[in-house]
Amino acid sequence: MKINVTLPDGSIRQYDQGATAMDVAKSISEGLARNVLSAKVNGEVRDASRPLPGDCSLALLTWNDAEGKSTLWHSSAHLLAEAIEALFPGTKFGIGPPIENGFYYDIDPGERAISDADFPAIEAKMKELASKKLTFSRTEVSKADAIKYFTEKGDEYKLELIEGLQDGQITFYTQGNFTDLCRGPHIPDTSFIKATKVLSVAGAYWRGDEKRKQLTRLYAITFPKQKELDEYLVMLEEAKKRDHRKVGKELDLFTFSEKVGAGLPLWLPKGAALRERLINFMKTAQEKQGYQQVATPHIALKGLYVTSGHYEKYGKDSFQAINTPQEGEQFMLKPMNCPHHCEIFASRPRSYKDLPLRFAEFGTVYRYEQSGELHGLARVRGFTQDDAHLFCRPDQVKEEFLKVIDLVLLVLRALNFQNFEAQISLRDKEDRSKYIGSEENWVKAEQAIIDAAAECGMKTVVEYGEAAFYGPKLDFMVKDALGRKWQLGTIQVDYNLPERFELEYVGSDNARHRPVMIHRAPFGSLERFIAVIIEHTAGNFPLWLAPEQAILLPISDKYLDHCRALSASLKDSDIRALVDERNEKSARRSAMRNSPKPRSCSSSEKRRPATAPLA
């Protein structure tokens, strides 16, 4: 019996029942087969060695595909676990997923502490195992047998994971002497892993719960070629130099205080000025598009977020409710701005002639992040969003969406982000429990985004399961100067919050209608955006954003007054000028100013941080 296999180019090939994706690859080219890591069958990534289910669509995945990289890194996590088990018998294992760059495994080594001194031995053992060309074999296991296996092994973490599974959902993967509970997929064998590097070790609470045991998390990365690993390590060294925490300190932009609290940045004068310039840039652009500035409080009654649905979905990630002297009254630190803007819309009757209404706010919000997840400005507990919510008629959605795209592109051009793609973030294809609203509204919202992105002619990718709980999104994925990907800017279409808040406008037919809501934030959060800008530019900001645009170096004290007068004149023309009054020779001052390292200062000279060049 034959099956029909549809390839990405639309061609159809016939194979015998039971053929695998690897069989298809070999029939096309032996060279292709040597590079296939996994396969996408009817949209699902699977082992290339598994029999095809019948007539199907098939894409063969290699290192050049994101899913191919993910498969290799997932398999590498199993290889890391096998190496750990060989080197440190008795280690227990949590989870080991692939991540954007590499993978990690959470382990419990018992009384032993694993440190970076152990990395060379772990890497050597991984390389030794990889060279054995160990096959990844998949086995379907009953729940009873899975429990029996990990009970005998004494691994309570795997037993806890099995608790939430049912018969027919459980598979084991084995390579060499290591067997793991895993859904897969995996690469054909370990020989594809040619270069290995253990990057760091950290603590991680089991299942992200601070009340549970803290495990050891090992981060690592692998490549199919040593050259690619070498290039990656060079990039990491450059990234360390550009780390926004380091550069931000050198430029006197921001600081953190243990007394204020973790994840709550304090903006220093130069950082606050830079932040204000970004805000003014966005305000000017918004005014041209007819936005109206609003302001909302930092706290609100808990019921507001219950109505919006945010509390149900994200209550555990919010700060605990604030109890007032009045019994039963609870407020919350504002975790998002959109419910407040819904209430502004509802504050008075609206007509179809009023729409679209565009409410903008640089609103500071607060979300509880675990201490281990905080990272400089990139992951904080209090941050300011360049938030806006557009309320429009259904026939206005596409036009408004396109205007917001223009605004996001304006921001990316102004900051010289040239390498980006737009990600259309849709619902999970199967699990709809994460989302609110009717199927009809979701279909309309998703189609509106797809149509708008197509009209712009932008490069787009579709990611299922990445939508917000109330609507699909268009997320802008930007690559920085080092090729790292960041999500900057998001636009969301929402038919659901207007229903939950019972928002209405009177149409031209004198009947009441629901508006459609568009959420948008071209910067996202100012904190994270500034972190990305710092690392993208290494602190050499565009001239319009630089903390200091001009520096005057008097060649002797007798020219100080002239330089001060010239500086004042430049400031009158909105040029940020600074007179360097240190008692040093000009050449030495220039050398010190251009030095990337901060230096100590004597009491007779003012410390001045490095500054961006004028060009």
Side-chain angles (χ1 to χ4, degrees), residues 123-168:
E123 292 167 7
K125 177 58 73 171
M126 289 180 71
K127 291 177 184 176
E128 175 194 328
L129 295 170
S131 68
K132 293 181 179 182
K133 199 175 182 179
L134 304 172
T135 300
F136 287 87
S137 59
R138 179 180 183 273
T139 308
E140 295 184 1
V141 184
S142 70
K143 187 169 184 176
D145 286 344
I147 291 172
K148 180 175 183 292
Y149 178 84
F150 284 107
T151 299
E152 291 175 353
K153 192 176 181 182
D155 199 328
E156 65 266 27
Y157 303 105
K158 297 297 182 183
L159 288 170
E160 185 176 328
L161 293 173
I162 292 169
E163 285 178 9
L165 302 176
Q166 303 298 325
D167 278 320

Side-chain angles (χ1 to χ4, degrees), residues 328-363:
E329 186 177 60
Q330 288 187 317
F331 282 79
M332 291 185 67
L333 287 171
K334 179 172 63 173
M336 66 285 303
N337 300 300
C338 36
H340 298 251
H341 292 189
C342 286
E343 288 299 288
I344 290 175
F345 181 93
S347 64
R348 68 175 181 82
R350 307 288 181 179
S351 161
Y352 73 98
K353 295 180 180 180
D354 299 326
L355 306 184
L357 279 172
R358 308 178 186 97
F359 296 141
E361 176 180 15
F362 289 88

Side-chain angles (χ1 to χ4, degrees), residues 286-426:
Q286 288 176 166
E287 285 173 6
K288 291 178 180 177
Q289 286 199 7
Y291 285 78
Q292 300 177 65
Q293 204 70 25
V294 298
T296 59
H298 291 255
I299 64 172
L301 284 168
K302 173 183 168 183
L304 179 71
Y305 308 111
V306 172
T307 298
S308 69
H310 288 95
Y311 187 79
E312 178 186 354
K313 296 291 181 180
Y314 302 117
K316 64 181 180 180
D317 299 319
S318 302
F319 286 92
Q320 294 297 305
I322 304 166
N323 294 305
T324 73
Q326 183 171 324
E327 186 176 351
E329 186 177 60
Q330 288 187 317
F331 282 79
M332 291 185 67
L333 287 171
K334 179 172 63 173
M336 66 285 303
N337 300 300
C338 36
H340 298 251
H341 292 189
C342 286
E343 288 299 288
I344 290 175
F345 181 93
S347 64
R348 68 175 181 82
R350 307 288 181 179
S351 161
Y352 73 98
K353 295 180 180 180
D354 299 326
L355 306 184
L357 279 172
R358 308 178 186 97
F359 296 141
E361 176 180 15
F362 289 88
T364 301
V365 298
Y366 306 89
R367 299 177 190 174
Y368 182 74
E369 301 283 358
Q370 294 185 28
S371 57
E373 296 177 335
L374 299 174
H375 181 74
L377 294 179
R379 197 76 179 262
V380 291
R381 289 173 172 168
F383 55 93
T384 301
Q385 296 176 304
D386 64 322
D387 221 350
H389 297 93
L390 291 69
F391 300 88
C392 57
R393 304 189 307 266
D395 62 293
Q396 296 172 322
V397 171
K398 184 177 177 181
E399 180 183 358
E400 291 302 306
F401 201 93
L402 289 170
K403 286 180 180 178
V404 177
I405 290 176
D406 289 341
L407 196 57
V408 175
L409 296 180
L410 174 67
V411 170
L412 298 182
R413 285 194 297 268
L415 277 305
N416 199 30
F417 286 112
Q418 299 177 3
N419 191 354
F420 65 90
E421 66 182 12
Q423 175 180 300
I424 301 174
S425 300
L426 306 179

Side-chain angles (χ1 to χ4, degrees), residues 277 280 543-550 566-578:
R277 282 191 284 279
N280 290 337
L543 183 59
W544 69 272
L545 199 56
E548 297 160 353
Q549 293 176 312
L566 182 55
S567 173
S569 178
L570 290 170
K571 289 178 180 178
D572 288 342
S573 299
D574 291 327
I575 297 174
R576 296 181 291 281
L578 170 73

Side-chain angles (χ1 to χ4, degrees), residues 331-532:
F331 282 79
M332 291 185 67
L333 287 171
K334 179 172 63 173
M336 66 285 303
N337 300 300
C338 36
H340 298 251
H341 292 189
C342 286
E343 288 299 288
I344 290 175
F345 181 93
S347 64
R348 68 175 181 82
R350 307 288 181 179
S351 161
Y352 73 98
K353 295 180 180 180
D354 299 326
L355 306 184
L357 279 172
R358 308 178 186 97
F359 296 141
E361 176 180 15
F362 289 88
T364 301
V365 298
Y366 306 89
R367 299 177 190 174
Y368 182 74
E369 301 283 358
Q370 294 185 28
S371 57
E373 296 177 335
L374 299 174
H375 181 74
L377 294 179
R379 197 76 179 262
V380 291
R381 289 173 172 168
F383 55 93
T384 301
Q385 296 176 304
D386 64 322
D387 221 350
H389 297 93
L390 291 69
F391 300 88
C392 57
R393 304 189 307 266
D395 62 293
Q396 296 172 322
V397 171
K398 184 177 177 181
E399 180 183 358
E400 291 302 306
F401 201 93
L402 289 170
K403 286 180 180 178
V404 177
I405 290 176
D406 289 341
L407 196 57
V408 175
L409 296 180
L410 174 67
V411 170
L412 298 182
R413 285 194 297 268
L415 277 305
N416 199 30
F417 286 112
Q418 299 177 3
N419 191 354
F420 65 90
E421 66 182 12
Q423 175 180 300
I424 301 174
S425 300
L426 306 179
R427 289 173 297 173
D428 189 288
K429 286 185 175 181
E430 297 178 359
D431 183 8
R432 304 297 210 210
S433 63
K434 300 184 288 185
Y435 312 103
I436 62 173
S438 68
E439 179 70 16
E440 178 187 3
N441 283 343
W442 271 93
V443 169
K444 287 189 291 187
E446 289 176 338
Q447 195 60 49
I449 290 180
I450 292 169
D451 290 346
E455 185 163 324
C456 286
M458 289 188 302
K459 178 183 177 183
T460 60
V461 295
V462 176
E463 290 291 341
Y464 292 95
E466 294 298 317
F469 76 92
Y470 49 75
K473 305 185 291 179
L474 187 68
D475 294 322
F476 287 81
M477 314 304 291
V478 176
K479 284 189 176 181
D480 67 11
L482 297 182
R484 298 170 300 176
K485 187 181 289 187
W486 305 83
Q487 191 256 303
L488 294 180
T490 184
I491 318 171
Q492 306 164 7
V493 177
D494 180 6
Y495 283 79
N496 293 309
L497 287 191
E499 283 192 359
R500 295 180 77 96
F501 281 93
E502 299 181 344
L503 304 183
E504 294 179 334
Y505 66 92
V506 177
S508 57
D509 57 357
N510 283 325
R512 296 186 177 278
H513 301 273
R514 286 265 187 265
V516 182
M517 191 173 176
I518 297 176
H519 307 240
R520 49 112 284 196
F523 290 151
S525 88
L526 280 167
E527 285 72 13
R528 188 169 181 273
F529 192 80
I530 290 172
V532 175

